[in-house]
Amino acid sequence: MASQGLGVLCSYARQNGTPGLPATLWNIIAAFKTFAVAAALLGAAQAVDVNVRANGGNVTGKFDKFGYGFLHEDINNSGDGGIYAELIQNRAFQYSPSYPVSTAHYSPINGASLGIEFVSPPLSSALPASLRVSATNTTGQVGFQNEGYWGIDVRVQKYTGSFWTKGAYKGEFTAWLKSNLTTDVFGRVQVQSKSVADAWTEHKFELTPSVAAPSSNNTFAVTFDPAGTSNGTLDFNLISLFPPTYKGRANGLRIDIAEALEEMNPTYLRFPGGNMLEGLRLGAEWDWKDSIGPLRERPGFEGVWGYQQTHGLGLVEYLEWAEDMGLHFAVGLYAGLALNGNYTTEAELQPYIQDALNEIEFIISPVTSTWGARRAELGHPEPFELNYVELGNEDWLAGFPGGWESYKAYRFPLMYEAVSKAYPDIQIIASSASSDPNPETAATDGLDFPADVLGDYHPYREPDQLVDEFDRFDNDFGHIVGEVAAVHVNGGIEWLGLLNPYPWWIGAVGESVSLIGYERNSDRIPMVLYAPVLKNINRFQWSITLIQFAADPALTTRAVTWYVWSLFAHHPITHTLPTTSTSDYGPLYWGAGRDDDRGGALVWKGAVFNTTNSSSVPVTVNFQGVRRGTKAKLTVLTNPGGDPFAYNDPFTGVNIVKTTETELVAGPRGGFKFSLPELSVAVLDTDVAAVSKDPPHHYWGKPKHWRGHGRGW
Ligand code: AHR
């Protein structure tokens, strides 16, 4: 479909969701090609008329209308050093078989020696290792500094910090925010010592720098006077510093990243993985119980993406993230498969099933339940609303074929039985799609999906392949699209090739075609999620993303993909609407719907991919029942530079995506006319009034700039 390249005329009225054209029609189409090419050479592809029926579609979504969102797991330092706002790297000297304990990211001040000790008593059984700071100089303050996650953003705002110490000390600590390049100090605060010889004591402080740092190349330091100690030595642990957080949550999210996500208008969050849920080996899965409670009780997680994790962004933080951003969520429940391919036997499965049931109880049950009471103890007595749980992650992949066979034979059926019996109102998602095991693996029988189960489909593809996704769900049962992204350029050699280094324009347009395809089947596809959603540009494993960032918020960059997903997410629909056209899909792809939450606003979404000679496509969208003079807003995303591989580079700050908003007026038969360039993404929405009340861009608030057509068609 992607290489078809021509919008061609034929007398065949295509219905929304109708499978491929009869072969004889391709002959008719071929007869028109000469004409089409001639038109293209004149700068415009064949005009496409789309008729949108007023009725006859389907209600979208399941518990709520269809929506966009993302999978979040801690990959690309998207959690620690990412959306989780903690500024101190290696704050609690956590370790695991893959990541040995160390003093990494710390350096000494005034000749102190720094080392790891396992003192008795430890701060907690979860955090047995701590940092020993020993003075070698007896004069002047000694201590340590931490470089943060590749820097620390310092501005005039309140930082909230704490650290624990063990060792007798009479005197004061000083907490500093200072330059890593010069002797500049931006702020400091004295903290009275409560430290004693035989126990751990917490010290809390607030620090407001008097001046902002010129760059993020800064450190956080703690110093003390060795003269006040018994032997010049103190032990430190859980050294923490937070800037102000999203919605002011303690242990919360980094504001600029969270706001960039929120501004995309997402509806769904899936967590905690992804591969992260599965863990590297049996017994090393992301255990939700380790992620709740005071930070000193969280042991940390042996990350599956090449770094130790803190567990700071734990289950409650994920739930509050969803709550604060107004998101529905899908929770991944561990189903007994590890990334090394080992899986639980049937006899070993029961404790995991019980654990999954307990996790659901923690999330949704009243305070009178055991786990609901624990949730209340942790500060959230109100149950959360949980509509979706997924049993495992990609159980068709790791350990194939054994892992997959065990999922089909007992891991899925037994978990399904237990969860659906205890929580019949929760939608269960299987971790495979109807097309899994996918073509990368040798095919065997698929999962026999119970009628009430959704599949989970993860198309990481080339742009052309994403265009081929357009009709993927025209004849299939319900799925979530739990992970999707353009990852390789066309002609890449599948997973043997390198991922494209940045999300790039033709990839984003390819995604948009697949999104339209999923959305026009949104009676069975309740959500479509991007992954991996965030990327720290200092250390990442997957290059494609929605948002790129570093310590310096000035580098926080919405990738080209963000603009496409944001555009579609800002124009939701409660119902699909059937369309007919005398043109086939391609190079223009479209879908339509109605949003009853916005008074029946009519929405048409389209994308142009692979026209001949890069010509534009003239389009007329006729909404049945719409009267002459009705207004609609057309938003078109293009890359005026024309390079299909252009991307948004955090270091230049140049946004290659141009957003053009135009007010259109319907002609006599309710038609809206416009033209869409090659590699463009568009939304036409009649809800002009509602959109203008809440302008997404400054442009919308200035009617004099509208390029409204003076007359209709
Ligand atoms: O998004 C990156 C990884 O891709 C996810 O962890 C996994 O589910 C998929 O294979």
Side-chain angles (χ1 to χ4, degrees):
M1 190 185 296
S3 56
Q4 189 179 315
L6 288 173
V8 289
L9 281 173
C10 79
S11 57
Y12 184 76
R14 273 184 73 78
Q15 299 286 331
N16 183 23
T18 304
L21 286 170
T24 49
L25 285 175
W26 289 110
N27 298 331
I28 302 171
I29 289 166
F32 281 101
K33 278 195 173 176
T34 311
F35 175 69
V37 168
L41 289 175
L42 292 175
Q46 283 299 303
V48 178
D49 274 19
V50 180
N51 299 309
V52 182
R53 296 211 189 130
N55 294 300
N58 294 304
V59 172
T60 73
K62 171 135 187 181
F63 300 95
D64 199 6
K65 60 187 172 186
F66 167 82
Y68 295 94
F70 36 82
L71 161 73
H72 186 273
E73 64 179 327
D74 202 334
I75 178 175
N76 300 336
N77 277 94
S78 61
D80 290 336
I83 196 166
Y84 179 51
E86 173 66 79
L87 293 170
I88 306 304
Q89 187 162 194
N90 194 18
R91 69 180 176 190
F93 314 100
Q94 290 155 307
Y95 59 95
S96 56
S98 304
Y99 314 106
V101 68
S102 81
T103 60
H105 310 291
Y106 289 85
S107 53
I109 290 176
N110 191 18
S113 95
L114 305 183
I116 295 293
E117 294 290 330
F118 288 79
V119 298
S120 179
L123 174 56
S124 67
S125 57
L127 299 179
S130 47
L131 176 72
R132 175 153 296 174
V133 182
S134 306
T136 50
N137 292 328
T138 47
T139 54
Q141 299 259 317
V142 297
F144 59 83
Q145 59 187 8
N146 182 284
E147 66 188 5
Y149 287 93
W150 304 282
I152 294 178
D153 177 49
V154 176
R155 56 184 73 198
V156 183
Q157 60 185 6
K158 188 165 81 184
Y159 292 78
T160 308
S162 58
F163 54 88
W164 291 74
T165 60
K166 181 174 171 298
Y169 175 46
K170 284 194 174 34
E172 285 181 331
F173 296 97
T174 307
W176 313 68
L177 277 169
K178 54 199 204 61
S179 171
N180 197 26
L181 302 172
T182 67
T183 54
D184 287 349
V185 172
F186 307 112
R188 73 181 134 199
V189 65
Q190 307 298 120
V191 184
Q192 188 60 46
S193 170
K194 299 184 275 179
S195 197
V196 294
D198 299 324
W200 285 92
T201 314
E202 187 176 23
H203 297 83
K204 294 184 176 178
F205 61 90
E206 289 175 354
L207 171 52
T208 303
S210 51
V211 59
S215 78
S216 60
N217 202 340
N218 308 306
T219 64
F220 170 72
V222 176
T223 57
F224 60 94
D225 183 354
T229 66
S230 51
N231 58 2
T233 291
L234 289 177
D235 295 307
F236 288 82
N237 208 344
L238 198 44
I239 301 145
S240 174
L241 187 71
F242 276 81
T245 57
Y246 177 66
K247 310 270 177 178
R249 289 267 187 204
N251 198 43
L253 306 183
R254 183 171 142 175
I255 292 175
D256 60 325
I257 297 176
E259 287 184 348
L261 281 178
E262 184 177 41
E263 284 165 23
M264 197 195 96
N265 205 29
T267 313
Y268 289 98
L269 167 67
R270 175 174 168 242
F271 67 89
N275 290 356
M276 186 168 120
L277 175 71
E278 300 169 75
L280 293 173
R281 74 189 79 77
L282 283 183
E285 76 276 10
W286 192 84
D287 185 337
W288 66 276
K289 301 184 299 306
D290 286 343
S291 79
I292 60 173
L295 296 182
R296 67 178 181 283
E297 290 172 11
R298 304 188 195 184
F301 175 65
E302 184 176 4
V304 304
W305 293 108
Y307 53 96
Q308 176 70 29
Q309 296 173 13
T310 65
H311 259 145
L313 183 60
L315 177 58
V316 173
E317 287 75 21
Y318 271 119
L319 297 171
E320 289 178 343
W321 169 356
E323 183 170 85
D324 290 346
M325 224 175 258
L327 305 177
H328 300 285
F329 49 87
V331 180
L333 303 173
Y334 182 62
L337 174 69
L339 288 171
N340 68 358
N342 290 343
Y343 51 89
T344 50
T345 62
E346 188 168 347
E348 294 163 341
L349 190 63
Q350 188 49 38
Y352 292 105
I353 295 177
Q354 190 53 51
D355 212 48
L357 295 173
N358 292 347
E359 184 174 357
I360 298 174
E361 183 176 301
F362 179 88
I363 297 170
I364 64 169
S365 293
V367 296
T368 45
S369 66
T370 308
W371 284 105
R374 177 74 177 127
R375 185 192 63 240
E377 226 173 78
L378 298 179
H380 206 290
E382 311 77 28
F384 293 91
E385 183 187 324
L386 171 63
N387 292 323
Y388 297 92
V389 295
E390 179 159 353
L391 308 185
N393 178 66
E394 294 185 345
D395 287 81
W396 51 270
L397 185 54
F400 184 85
W404 178 232
E405 295 301 336
S406 67
Y407 191 69
K408 288 188 293 178
Y410 58 87
R411 291 191 297 112
F412 177 81
L414 292 178
M415 284 195 80
Y416 167 77
E417 191 190 343
V419 174
S420 59
K421 193 164 155 211
Y423 299 102
D425 295 335
I426 293 182
Q427 173 66 58
I428 294 177
I429 303 167
S431 75
S432 59
S434 55
S435 49
D436 288 324
N438 80 17
E440 292 161 33
T441 58
T444 59
D445 293 339
L447 178 70
D448 191 10
F449 283 88
D452 59 350
V453 164
L454 295 176
D456 182 3
Y457 181 54
H458 294 177
Y460 289 116
R461 300 277 192 273
E462 299 169 10
D464 273 0
Q465 296 169 330
L466 286 168
V467 173
D468 289 341
E469 287 289 302
F470 185 69
D471 56 3
R472 162 68 178 82
F473 283 113
D474 287 359
N475 296 295
D476 205 343
F477 58 82
H479 286 70
I480 67 164
V481 181
E483 301 175 29
V484 54
V487 286
H488 294 104
V489 295
N490 287 331
I493 37 175
E494 296 290 344
W495 288 97
L496 297 175
L498 290 175
L499 303 181
N500 210 43
Y502 289 94
W504 69 118
W505 183 239
I506 191 174
V509 179
E511 283 169 21
S512 76
V513 177
S514 70
L515 298 184
I516 296 169
Y518 306 141
E519 184 164 331
R520 71 194 186 111
N521 287 294
S522 52
D523 55 323
R524 283 164 289 124
I525 312 293
M527 67 184 86
V528 177
L529 313 177
Y530 191 96
V533 57
L534 301 172
K535 168 181 155 190
N536 189 317
I537 55 188
N538 290 290
R539 181 170 65 188
F540 55 88
Q541 296 73 45
W542 279 40
S543 43
I544 50 92
T545 190
L546 291 180
I547 297 166
Q548 323 185 65
F549 61 88
D552 181 357
L555 292 174
T556 299
T557 305
R558 292 152 206 232
V560 294
T561 43
W562 185 95
Y563 288 89
V564 167
W565 284 66
S566 175
L567 176 64
F568 282 3
H570 274 92
H571 295 271
I573 56 170
T574 52
H575 296 73
T576 58
L577 290 175
T579 66
T580 58
S581 175
T582 54
S583 301
D584 194 9
Y585 293 119
L588 176 69
Y589 299 85
W590 68 85
R594 185 180 79 230
D595 189 9
D596 284 353
D597 293 343
R598 292 184 290 133
L602 297 168
V603 181
W604 179 92
K605 291 177 180 163
V608 174
F609 188 94
N610 205 9
T611 62
T612 303
N613 292 338
S614 298
S615 51
S616 299
V617 181
V619 185
T620 306
V621 175
N622 304 293
F623 288 109
Q624 186 185 10
V626 161
R627 293 211 205 104
R628 175 187 195 142
T630 300
K631 290 179 179 171
K633 186 175 81 160
L634 175 71
T635 309
V636 183
L637 305 183
T638 52
N639 160 32
D643 176 4
F645 299 101
Y647 57 86
N648 285 351
D649 183 343
F651 295 103
T652 64
V654 175
N655 176 17
I656 63 106
V657 184
K658 182 177 176 198
T659 303
T660 308
E661 294 174 332
T662 312
E663 187 188 50
L664 301 184
V665 180
R669 294 197 308 278
F672 295 96
K673 271 188 186 297
F674 50 92
S675 174
L676 293 179
E678 162 68 336
L679 293 182
S680 61
V681 182
V683 171
L684 181 70
D685 192 324
T686 62
D687 191 11
V688 174
V691 173
S692 62
K693 251 190 271 163
D694 182 20
H697 304 281
H698 66 281
Y699 175 72
W700 189 241
K702 295 178 182 166
K704 67 182 161 76
H705 287 153
W706 291 359
R707 290 190 284 119
H709 294 267
R711 58 183 183 80
W713 287 267

